[in-house]
Amino acid sequence: MRPIDDSPLSRDGKVLILAYDHGLEHGPVDFEDVPESADPERVFDVATHPAVTSLAVQKGVAEAYYPAYEEDVNLLAKVNGTSNLWMGEYDSAVNWSVEYADEVGADSVGFTLYGGSNHEVEMAEEFRDVQEAARDHDMPVVMWAYPRGQGVKNDTKSDVIAYAARQAMELGADIAKVKYPGSKAAMEHVVEMAGPTKVIMSGGSKRSDREFLESVEAVIDAGGAGLAVGRNIFQRENPEYILDALEEVIFEESSVDTALAAAEE
Ligand code: FBP
Protein backbone atom coordinates (compact mmCIF):
# COMPACT_ATOMS: atom_id res chain seq x y z
CA MET A 1 0.00 0.00 0.00
CA ARG A 2 1.29 3.44 -0.87
CA PRO A 3 0.11 6.06 1.66
CA ILE A 4 -1.85 8.73 -0.22
CA ASP A 5 -1.68 11.41 2.46
CA ASP A 6 1.54 12.88 1.08
CA SER A 7 0.41 12.59 -2.55
CA PRO A 8 -1.22 15.13 -4.89
CA LEU A 9 -4.33 12.93 -4.85
CA SER A 10 -5.31 14.05 -1.38
CA ARG A 11 -5.54 17.06 0.86
CA ASP A 12 -5.50 16.40 4.62
CA GLY A 13 -6.11 12.73 3.83
CA LYS A 14 -9.30 13.50 1.90
CA VAL A 15 -9.94 13.09 -1.80
CA LEU A 16 -12.08 14.86 -4.39
CA ILE A 17 -11.38 13.58 -7.88
CA LEU A 18 -13.18 15.37 -10.68
CA ALA A 19 -13.87 12.63 -13.25
CA TYR A 20 -14.14 13.68 -16.89
CA ASP A 21 -13.88 10.54 -19.01
CA HIS A 22 -17.58 10.54 -19.83
CA GLY A 23 -17.10 11.56 -23.46
CA LEU A 24 -15.54 8.13 -23.94
CA GLU A 25 -17.57 6.09 -21.45
CA HIS A 26 -21.04 7.49 -22.18
CA GLY A 27 -20.63 9.72 -25.25
CA PRO A 28 -21.91 13.23 -26.01
CA VAL A 29 -25.25 12.53 -24.33
CA ASP A 30 -23.65 13.47 -20.98
CA PHE A 31 -22.96 17.00 -22.28
CA GLU A 32 -26.50 17.73 -23.51
CA ASP A 33 -27.81 19.48 -20.38
CA VAL A 34 -24.86 21.88 -20.21
CA PRO A 35 -23.42 22.03 -23.75
CA GLU A 36 -20.31 23.97 -22.60
CA SER A 37 -19.30 20.86 -20.63
CA ALA A 38 -18.24 19.22 -23.91
CA ASP A 39 -15.31 21.66 -23.92
CA PRO A 40 -12.49 20.12 -21.85
CA GLU A 41 -11.04 23.57 -21.22
CA ARG A 42 -14.12 24.52 -19.23
CA VAL A 43 -13.72 21.41 -17.05
CA PHE A 44 -9.98 22.00 -16.58
CA ASP A 45 -10.92 25.50 -15.37
CA VAL A 46 -13.40 23.96 -12.91
CA ALA A 47 -10.64 21.59 -11.72
CA THR A 48 -8.59 24.57 -10.52
CA HIS A 49 -11.13 24.95 -7.67
CA PRO A 50 -9.23 24.33 -4.40
CA ALA A 51 -11.60 21.51 -3.43
CA VAL A 52 -10.50 19.38 -6.40
CA THR A 53 -7.49 17.23 -5.54
CA SER A 54 -7.15 15.67 -9.03
CA LEU A 55 -8.74 15.62 -12.47
CA ALA A 56 -9.25 12.18 -14.06
CA VAL A 57 -9.13 12.14 -17.86
CA GLN A 58 -8.28 9.88 -20.75
CA LYS A 59 -5.06 10.16 -22.77
CA GLY A 60 -6.23 12.34 -25.65
CA VAL A 61 -7.72 14.96 -23.34
CA ALA A 62 -4.59 14.96 -21.20
CA GLU A 63 -2.28 15.37 -24.19
CA ALA A 64 -4.28 18.25 -25.65
CA TYR A 65 -5.14 20.23 -22.51
CA TYR A 66 -2.89 19.34 -19.58
CA PRO A 67 0.20 21.30 -20.74
CA ALA A 68 -1.70 24.57 -20.10
CA TYR A 69 -2.84 23.45 -16.62
CA GLU A 70 0.22 21.67 -15.20
CA GLU A 71 0.76 24.32 -12.57
CA ASP A 72 -2.84 24.42 -11.36
CA VAL A 73 -4.29 20.91 -11.69
CA ASN A 74 -3.15 17.47 -10.50
CA LEU A 75 -3.61 14.87 -13.21
CA LEU A 76 -5.02 11.37 -12.71
CA ALA A 77 -4.44 9.26 -15.81
CA LYS A 78 -7.46 7.01 -16.34
CA VAL A 79 -5.52 4.35 -18.17
CA ASN A 80 -8.35 2.11 -19.31
CA GLY A 81 -11.76 2.92 -20.65
CA THR A 82 -14.30 1.81 -23.25
CA SER A 83 -17.17 3.41 -25.11
CA ASN A 84 -20.86 2.73 -24.74
CA LEU A 85 -20.89 1.67 -28.38
CA TRP A 86 -19.37 -1.64 -27.25
CA MET A 87 -22.11 -4.18 -26.53
CA GLY A 88 -20.11 -7.22 -25.40
CA GLU A 89 -19.47 -8.55 -21.90
CA TYR A 90 -18.01 -5.82 -19.63
CA ASP A 91 -14.38 -5.08 -20.46
CA SER A 92 -12.16 -2.02 -20.79
CA ALA A 93 -9.24 -1.35 -23.12
CA VAL A 94 -5.91 -0.20 -21.68
CA ASN A 95 -5.40 3.00 -23.67
CA TRP A 96 -2.09 4.32 -22.30
CA SER A 97 0.80 2.97 -20.33
CA VAL A 98 1.83 4.20 -16.88
CA GLU A 99 5.20 5.18 -18.39
CA TYR A 100 3.52 7.38 -20.98
CA ALA A 101 1.12 8.84 -18.37
CA ASP A 102 4.17 9.83 -16.35
CA GLU A 103 5.65 11.56 -19.41
CA VAL A 104 2.41 13.49 -19.91
CA GLY A 105 2.65 14.66 -16.28
CA ALA A 106 0.25 12.40 -14.38
CA ASP A 107 0.49 12.28 -10.57
CA SER A 108 -1.65 9.16 -10.18
CA VAL A 109 -3.40 6.48 -12.22
CA GLY A 110 -6.92 5.06 -12.37
CA PHE A 111 -8.10 1.68 -13.62
CA THR A 112 -11.58 0.16 -13.94
CA LEU A 113 -11.95 -3.45 -12.85
CA TYR A 114 -15.23 -5.19 -13.64
CA GLY A 115 -15.23 -7.97 -11.05
CA GLY A 116 -17.74 -10.62 -12.10
CA SER A 117 -17.28 -10.01 -15.81
CA ASN A 118 -16.20 -12.89 -18.01
CA HIS A 119 -13.13 -10.73 -18.63
CA GLU A 120 -12.26 -10.33 -14.94
CA VAL A 121 -9.17 -12.56 -15.14
CA GLU A 122 -7.60 -10.61 -18.01
CA MET A 123 -8.54 -7.29 -16.40
CA ALA A 124 -6.93 -8.34 -13.10
CA GLU A 125 -3.75 -9.27 -14.99
CA GLU A 126 -3.76 -5.90 -16.73
CA PHE A 127 -4.27 -4.26 -13.34
CA ARG A 128 -1.21 -6.11 -12.02
CA ASP A 129 0.96 -4.52 -14.72
CA VAL A 130 -0.50 -1.06 -14.11
CA GLN A 131 -0.20 -1.31 -10.31
CA GLU A 132 3.42 -2.48 -10.42
CA ALA A 133 4.40 0.16 -12.99
CA ALA A 134 2.71 2.80 -10.82
CA ARG A 135 4.83 1.66 -7.86
CA ASP A 136 7.96 2.16 -10.01
CA HIS A 137 6.81 5.70 -10.81
CA ASP A 138 5.68 6.46 -7.23
CA MET A 139 2.12 7.11 -8.34
CA PRO A 140 -0.91 6.11 -6.26
CA VAL A 141 -3.44 3.80 -7.89
CA VAL A 142 -7.20 4.30 -7.83
CA MET A 143 -9.37 1.33 -8.76
CA TRP A 144 -12.80 2.07 -10.22
CA ALA A 145 -14.13 -1.08 -8.47
CA TYR A 146 -17.30 -1.84 -10.42
CA PRO A 147 -18.65 -5.39 -10.19
CA ARG A 148 -20.53 -5.94 -13.44
CA GLY A 149 -21.22 -8.66 -15.95
CA GLN A 150 -22.52 -12.21 -16.04
CA GLY A 151 -21.39 -13.05 -12.51
CA VAL A 152 -23.15 -10.09 -10.90
CA LYS A 153 -26.92 -10.02 -10.41
CA ASN A 154 -27.12 -6.67 -8.60
CA ASP A 155 -24.21 -4.24 -8.57
CA THR A 156 -25.89 -1.89 -6.06
CA LYS A 157 -26.21 -4.49 -3.27
CA SER A 158 -24.09 -3.50 -0.30
CA ASP A 159 -22.38 -6.90 0.04
CA VAL A 160 -21.36 -6.76 -3.64
CA ILE A 161 -19.93 -3.27 -3.09
CA ALA A 162 -18.07 -4.47 0.03
CA TYR A 163 -16.62 -7.32 -2.04
CA ALA A 164 -15.50 -4.82 -4.71
CA ALA A 165 -13.69 -2.73 -2.08
CA ARG A 166 -12.06 -5.85 -0.67
CA GLN A 167 -11.00 -6.96 -4.14
CA ALA A 168 -9.40 -3.53 -4.70
CA MET A 169 -7.45 -3.88 -1.47
CA GLU A 170 -6.35 -7.46 -2.15
CA LEU A 171 -5.10 -6.50 -5.64
CA GLY A 172 -3.09 -3.56 -4.32
CA ALA A 173 -5.16 -0.44 -5.05
CA ASP A 174 -4.49 2.55 -2.82
CA ILE A 175 -8.01 3.87 -3.30
CA ALA A 176 -11.19 1.96 -4.13
CA LYS A 177 -13.85 3.95 -5.91
CA VAL A 178 -17.20 2.29 -5.30
CA LYS A 179 -20.86 3.02 -5.71
CA TYR A 180 -22.72 4.34 -2.65
CA PRO A 181 -24.11 1.25 -0.88
CA GLY A 182 -27.24 3.07 0.31
CA SER A 183 -26.57 3.99 3.93
CA LYS A 184 -23.88 5.12 6.34
CA ALA A 185 -23.93 1.71 8.09
CA ALA A 186 -23.42 -0.13 4.81
CA MET A 187 -20.59 2.25 3.92
CA GLU A 188 -18.92 1.55 7.28
CA HIS A 189 -18.83 -2.13 6.36
CA VAL A 190 -17.36 -1.32 2.94
CA VAL A 191 -14.65 0.84 4.57
CA GLU A 192 -13.89 -1.93 7.08
CA MET A 193 -13.54 -4.54 4.32
CA ALA A 194 -11.11 -2.28 2.42
CA GLY A 195 -8.65 -2.19 5.35
CA PRO A 196 -5.77 0.18 4.55
CA THR A 197 -7.18 1.00 1.10
CA LYS A 198 -9.08 4.29 1.20
CA VAL A 199 -12.66 4.21 -0.03
CA ILE A 200 -14.27 6.93 -2.11
CA MET A 201 -17.76 7.16 -3.54
CA SER A 202 -18.63 7.30 -7.21
CA GLY A 203 -20.81 10.34 -7.96
CA GLY A 204 -23.43 8.71 -10.20
CA SER A 205 -26.10 10.44 -12.21
CA LYS A 206 -27.12 14.00 -11.38
CA ARG A 207 -29.22 14.49 -8.24
CA SER A 208 -30.47 17.48 -6.24
CA ASP A 209 -27.83 19.40 -4.29
CA ARG A 210 -29.17 18.17 -0.96
CA GLU A 211 -29.58 14.51 -1.92
CA PHE A 212 -26.09 14.39 -3.41
CA LEU A 213 -24.43 16.19 -0.48
CA GLU A 214 -26.22 13.96 2.04
CA SER A 215 -24.72 10.86 0.42
CA VAL A 216 -21.26 12.47 0.55
CA GLU A 217 -21.78 13.38 4.22
CA ALA A 218 -22.70 9.75 4.98
CA VAL A 219 -19.53 8.55 3.23
CA ILE A 220 -17.34 10.88 5.29
CA ASP A 221 -19.17 9.96 8.51
CA ALA A 222 -18.60 6.29 7.67
CA GLY A 223 -14.84 6.77 7.39
CA GLY A 224 -14.68 7.16 3.61
CA ALA A 225 -12.01 9.47 2.20
CA GLY A 226 -14.19 11.38 -0.26
CA LEU A 227 -15.47 11.25 -3.75
CA ALA A 228 -14.77 10.83 -7.45
CA VAL A 229 -17.45 12.71 -9.26
CA GLY A 230 -18.24 13.88 -12.77
CA ARG A 231 -21.86 14.45 -13.74
CA ASN A 232 -22.87 15.98 -10.40
CA ILE A 233 -20.30 18.71 -11.10
CA PHE A 234 -20.09 19.37 -14.83
CA GLN A 235 -23.81 18.85 -15.50
CA ARG A 236 -24.56 21.82 -13.22
CA GLU A 237 -24.80 25.36 -14.54
CA ASN A 238 -22.71 26.51 -11.58
CA PRO A 239 -20.11 23.82 -10.76
CA GLU A 240 -18.27 26.17 -8.39
CA TYR A 241 -21.32 26.37 -6.09
CA ILE A 242 -21.49 22.61 -5.52
CA LEU A 243 -17.68 22.45 -5.18
CA ASP A 244 -17.83 25.12 -2.47
CA ALA A 245 -20.39 22.98 -0.63
CA LEU A 246 -18.38 19.78 -1.18
CA GLU A 247 -15.29 21.46 0.19
CA GLU A 248 -17.18 22.05 3.44
CA VAL A 249 -18.60 18.51 3.68
CA ILE A 250 -15.41 16.65 2.74
CA PHE A 251 -12.58 18.75 4.16
CA GLU A 252 -14.29 20.59 7.04
CA GLU A 253 -16.67 17.70 7.86
CA SER A 254 -19.50 20.25 7.99
CA SER A 255 -23.18 19.29 7.92
CA VAL A 256 -25.08 19.64 4.65
CA ASP A 257 -26.97 22.70 6.00
CA THR A 258 -23.72 24.42 6.99
CA ALA A 259 -22.17 23.55 3.64
CA LEU A 260 -25.10 24.92 1.66
CA ALA A 261 -25.10 28.11 3.74
CA ALA A 262 -21.35 28.53 3.17
CA ALA A 263 -21.75 28.01 -0.57
CA GLU A 264 -24.46 30.71 -0.67
CA GLU A 265 -22.03 33.31 0.75
P1 FBP B 1 -19.96 10.16 -12.31
O1 FBP B 1 -19.77 10.93 -11.05
O2 FBP B 1 -20.53 11.01 -13.39
O3 FBP B 1 -20.73 8.88 -12.08
O4 FBP B 1 -18.49 9.80 -12.83
C1 FBP B 1 -17.73 8.80 -12.22
C2 FBP B 1 -17.46 7.71 -13.23
O5 FBP B 1 -16.79 6.61 -12.67
C3 FBP B 1 -16.68 8.19 -14.45
O6 FBP B 1 -15.31 8.12 -14.27
C4 FBP B 1 -17.20 7.27 -15.50
O7 FBP B 1 -17.15 7.82 -16.77
C5 FBP B 1 -18.61 7.05 -15.09
O8 FBP B 1 -18.69 7.24 -13.72
C6 FBP B 1 -19.07 5.67 -15.42
O9 FBP B 1 -20.40 5.58 -15.08
P2 FBP B 1 -21.23 4.27 -15.28
O10 FBP B 1 -20.26 3.21 -15.65
O11 FBP B 1 -21.89 4.04 -13.96
O12 FBP B 1 -22.20 4.56 -16.34
Side-chain angles (χ1 to χ4, degrees):
M1 205 60 47
R2 182 198 185 287
I4 60 157
D5 289 358
D6 64 345
S7 81
L9 249 189
S10 77
R11 178 176 129 200
D12 303 331
K14 302 282 182 47
V15 175
L16 200 174
I17 296 166
L18 177 56
Y20 185 62
D21 56 345
H22 303 66
L24 175 68
E25 295 283 343
H26 298 164
V29 66
D30 274 10
F31 307 135
E32 279 173 5
D33 287 355
V34 179
E36 311 89 86
S37 65
D39 179 1
E41 201 170 317
R42 174 184 153 93
V43 178
F44 271 88
D45 285 342
V46 171
T48 64
H49 189 289
V52 176
T53 57
S54 257
L55 175 66
V57 294
Q58 280 285 340
K59 178 169 72 173
V61 173
E63 283 183 332
Y65 294 90
Y66 193 56
Y69 288 88
E70 269 176 1
E71 299 295 318
D72 303 312
V73 173
N74 295 321
L75 179 67
L76 185 155
K78 181 68 194 344
V79 294
N80 67 350
T82 302
S83 85
N84 244 352
L85 302 166
W86 163 253
M87 291 299 289
E89 173 70 345
Y90 284 100
D91 201 355
S92 192
V94 180
N95 302 315
W96 43 335
S97 66
V98 173
E99 291 70 22
Y100 186 61
D102 191 36
E103 268 178 51
V104 175
D107 305 287
S108 59
V109 295
F111 184 99
T112 296
L113 186 92
Y114 294 124
S117 159
N118 288 347
H119 299 297
E120 178 185 324
V121 171
E122 293 82 0
M123 294 188 87
E125 288 171 357
E126 289 162 1
F127 179 76
R128 175 198 63 208
D129 292 344
V130 166
Q131 194 261 6
E132 292 180 4
R135 292 287 179 263
D136 287 344
H137 290 267
D138 197 26
M139 289 198 261
V141 182
V142 182
M143 182 187 284
W144 273 228
Y146 284 1
R148 269 180 196 172
Q150 282 198 7
V152 180
K153 288 192 185 69
N154 181 353
D155 67 346
T156 59
K157 269 180 72 180
S158 64
D159 59 343
V160 172
I161 294 169
Y163 198 161
R166 184 71 186 199
Q167 186 176 27
M169 186 273 265
E170 303 254 355
L171 295 182
D174 303 303
I175 296 181
K177 171 182 187 290
V178 299
K179 288 191 186 297
Y180 182 58
S183 68
K184 180 186 157 206
M187 195 64 178
E188 280 169 351
H189 180 58
V190 173
V191 170
E192 192 188 341
M193 289 306 106
T197 294
K198 305 269 185 186
V199 177
I200 61 175
M201 181 183 89
S202 188
S205 55
K206 191 177 151 202
R207 287 170 281 159
S208 73
D209 292 352
R210 179 167 291 278
E211 194 188 344
F212 171 55
L213 290 168
E214 281 176 355
S215 65
V216 179
E217 184 183 26
V219 168
I220 298 297
D221 287 351
L227 181 68
V229 55
R231 289 165 286 180
N232 274 285
I233 305 289
F234 68 73
Q235 287 181 348
R236 281 176 156 77
E237 294 291 346
N238 185 352
E240 286 77 15
Y241 174 86
I242 197 75
L243 282 170
D244 287 347
L246 281 171
E247 188 164 23
E248 285 289 323
V249 172
I250 295 174
F251 299 100
E252 307 300 330
E253 302 195 1
S254 301
S255 68
V256 171
D257 286 330
T258 304
L260 287 170
E264 285 296 337
E265 280 170 14

Coordinates of all heavy atoms in Angstrom, one line a residue, residues 19-22 25-26 30 56 78 84 114 144 146 148 177 179 202-205 228-232 234, ligand 1:
A19 N -14.0 13.6 -12.2 CA -13.9 12.6 -13.3 C -14.4 13.2 -14.5 O -15.6 13.8 -14.5 CB -14.6 11.4 -12.9
Y20 N -13.7 13.1 -15.6 CA -14.1 13.7 -16.9 C -13.7 12.8 -18.0 O -13.0 13.1 -18.9 CB -13.6 15.1 -17.0 CG -14.1 15.8 -18.3 CD1 -15.4 16.1 -18.4 CD2 -13.2 16.3 -19.2 CE1 -15.9 16.8 -19.6 CE2 -13.6 17.0 -20.4 CZ -15.0 17.2 -20.5 OH -15.5 17.9 -21.6
D21 N -14.1 11.5 -17.9 CA -13.9 10.5 -19.0 C -15.2 10.1 -19.7 O -15.3 9.2 -20.4 CB -13.2 9.3 -18.5 CG -13.9 8.6 -17.3 OD1 -14.9 9.2 -16.8 OD2 -13.6 7.5 -17.0
H22 N -16.2 10.9 -19.4 CA -17.6 10.5 -19.8 C -17.8 10.6 -21.3 O -18.6 9.9 -21.9 CB -18.6 11.4 -19.1 CG -18.5 11.4 -17.6 ND1 -17.4 11.8 -17.0 CD2 -19.4 10.9 -16.7 CE1 -17.6 11.6 -15.7 NE2 -18.8 11.1 -15.5
E25 N -16.8 7.2 -22.1 CA -17.6 6.1 -21.4 C -19.1 6.1 -21.8 O -19.7 5.1 -22.0 CB -17.4 6.2 -19.9 CG -16.0 5.9 -19.4 CD -15.7 4.4 -19.4 OE1 -16.6 3.6 -19.5 OE2 -14.5 4.1 -19.3
H26 N -19.6 7.3 -21.9 CA -21.0 7.5 -22.2 C -21.3 8.2 -23.5 O -22.4 8.0 -24.0 CB -21.7 8.3 -21.1 CG -21.6 7.7 -19.7 ND1 -21.9 8.4 -18.6 CD2 -21.3 6.4 -19.3 CE1 -21.7 7.6 -17.5 NE2 -21.4 6.4 -18.0
D30 N -23.9 12.9 -22.3 CA -23.7 13.5 -21.0 C -23.4 15.0 -21.0 O -23.4 15.6 -19.9 CB -22.4 12.8 -20.3 CG -22.8 11.5 -19.6 OD1 -24.0 11.0 -19.8 OD2 -22.0 11.0 -18.9
A56 N -9.4 13.5 -13.4 CA -9.3 12.2 -14.1 C -9.7 12.3 -15.5 O -10.9 12.6 -15.8 CB -10.1 11.1 -13.4
K78 N -6.5 8.2 -16.3 CA -7.5 7.0 -16.3 C -7.0 6.1 -17.5 O -7.2 6.4 -18.7 CB -8.9 7.5 -16.6 CG -9.9 6.4 -16.6 CD -10.1 5.7 -15.2 CE -10.8 4.4 -15.2 NZ -11.6 4.0 -16.3
N84 N -19.5 3.3 -24.9 CA -20.9 2.7 -24.7 C -21.3 2.1 -26.1 O -22.4 1.5 -26.1 CB -21.9 3.8 -24.4 CG -22.5 3.6 -23.0 OD1 -22.3 2.5 -22.4 ND2 -23.2 4.5 -22.5
Y114 N -13.9 -4.7 -13.7 CA -15.2 -5.2 -13.6 C -15.2 -6.6 -13.0 O -15.1 -7.6 -13.8 CB -15.8 -5.2 -15.0 CG -16.1 -3.9 -15.7 CD1 -15.5 -3.6 -16.9 CD2 -16.9 -2.9 -15.0 CE1 -15.8 -2.3 -17.5 CE2 -17.1 -1.7 -15.6 CZ -16.6 -1.4 -16.9 OH -16.8 -0.2 -17.5
W144 N -11.4 1.9 -10.0 CA -12.8 2.1 -10.2 C -13.3 0.6 -10.0 O -13.3 -0.2 -10.9 CB -13.1 2.5 -11.6 CG -13.1 4.0 -12.0 CD1 -14.1 4.6 -12.7 CD2 -12.1 5.0 -11.8 NE1 -13.8 5.9 -13.0 CE2 -12.6 6.2 -12.4 CE3 -10.9 5.1 -11.1 CZ2 -11.9 7.4 -12.4 CZ3 -10.2 6.3 -11.1 CH2 -10.7 7.4 -11.7
Y146 N -15.9 -1.8 -9.9 CA -17.3 -1.8 -10.4 C -17.7 -3.3 -10.8 O -17.5 -3.7 -11.9 CB -17.4 -1.0 -11.7 CG -17.5 0.5 -11.5 CD1 -17.4 1.1 -10.3 CD2 -17.7 1.3 -12.6 CE1 -17.5 2.5 -10.1 CE2 -17.7 2.7 -12.5 CZ -17.7 3.3 -11.3 OH -17.7 4.6 -11.2
R148 N -19.6 -6.0 -12.3 CA -20.5 -5.9 -13.4 C -20.3 -7.1 -14.3 O -19.2 -7.6 -14.5 CB -20.3 -4.7 -14.3 CG -21.1 -3.5 -13.9 CD -20.9 -2.4 -14.8 NE -21.3 -1.2 -14.1 CZ -21.2 0.0 -14.5 NH1 -20.5 0.3 -15.5 NH2 -21.7 1.0 -13.8
K177 N -12.7 3.1 -5.6 CA -13.8 4.0 -5.9 C -15.0 3.0 -6.1 O -15.0 2.2 -7.0 CB -13.5 4.7 -7.2 CG -14.6 5.5 -7.8 CD -14.1 6.1 -9.1 CE -15.0 7.1 -9.7 NZ -16.2 6.5 -10.3
K179 N -19.5 2.4 -5.8 CA -20.9 3.0 -5.7 C -21.3 3.2 -4.3 O -20.9 2.4 -3.4 CB -21.9 2.1 -6.4 CG -21.7 2.2 -7.9 CD -22.9 1.5 -8.6 CE -22.6 1.4 -10.1 NZ -22.5 2.6 -10.8
S202 N -18.4 6.9 -5.8 CA -18.6 7.3 -7.2 C -19.9 8.2 -7.3 O -20.9 7.9 -6.6 CB -18.9 6.0 -8.0 OG -18.9 6.3 -9.4
G203 N -19.7 9.3 -8.0 CA -20.8 10.3 -8.0 C -22.2 9.9 -8.5 O -23.2 10.1 -7.8
G204 N -22.2 9.2 -9.6 CA -23.4 8.7 -10.2 C -24.1 9.8 -11.0 O -23.6 10.9 -11.2
S205 N -25.4 9.5 -11.4 CA -26.1 10.4 -12.2 C -26.5 11.6 -11.4 O -26.6 11.6 -10.1 CB -27.3 9.8 -12.9 OG -28.1 9.2 -11.9
A228 N -15.2 10.6 -6.1 CA -14.8 10.8 -7.4 C -16.1 11.1 -8.2 O -17.0 10.3 -8.2 CB -14.0 9.6 -8.1
V229 N -16.2 12.3 -8.8 CA -17.5 12.7 -9.3 C -17.3 13.4 -10.6 O -16.4 14.2 -10.8 CB -18.1 13.6 -8.2 CG1 -17.2 14.8 -7.8 CG2 -19.4 14.2 -8.7
G230 N -18.2 13.2 -11.5 CA -18.2 13.9 -12.8 C -19.5 14.6 -13.0 O -19.6 15.8 -12.9
R231 N -20.6 13.8 -13.3 CA -21.9 14.4 -13.7 C -22.5 15.4 -12.7 O -23.1 16.4 -13.1 CB -22.9 13.3 -14.1 CG -22.5 12.6 -15.4 CD -23.3 11.3 -15.6 NE -22.8 10.3 -14.7 CZ -23.2 9.1 -14.6 NH1 -24.2 8.7 -15.4 NH2 -22.7 8.2 -13.8
N232 N -22.3 15.1 -11.4 CA -22.9 16.0 -10.4 C -22.1 17.3 -10.3 O -22.5 18.2 -9.5 CB -23.0 15.3 -9.0 CG -24.3 14.5 -8.9 OD1 -25.3 15.1 -8.7 ND2 -24.2 13.2 -9.1
F234 N -20.1 18.7 -13.5 CA -20.1 19.4 -14.8 C -21.5 19.5 -15.5 O -21.7 20.2 -16.4 CB -19.0 18.8 -15.8 CG -19.2 17.4 -16.3 CD1 -20.2 17.2 -17.2 CD2 -18.5 16.4 -15.9 CE1 -20.4 15.9 -17.7 CE2 -18.6 15.1 -16.4 CZ -19.6 14.8 -17.3
Ligands
FBP1 P1 -20.0 10.2 -12.3 O1 -19.8 10.9 -11.0 O2 -20.5 11.0 -13.4 O3 -20.7 8.9 -12.1 O4 -18.5 9.8 -12.8 C1 -17.7 8.8 -12.2 C2 -17.5 7.7 -13.2 O5 -16.8 6.6 -12.7 C3 -16.7 8.2 -14.4 O6 -15.3 8.1 -14.3 C4 -17.2 7.3 -15.5 O7 -17.2 7.8 -16.8 C5 -18.6 7.0 -15.1 O8 -18.7 7.2 -13.7 C6 -19.1 5.7 -15.4 O9 -20.4 5.6 -15.1 P2 -21.2 4.3 -15.3 O10 -20.3 3.2 -15.7 O11 -21.9 4.0 -14.0 O12 -22.2 4.6 -16.3

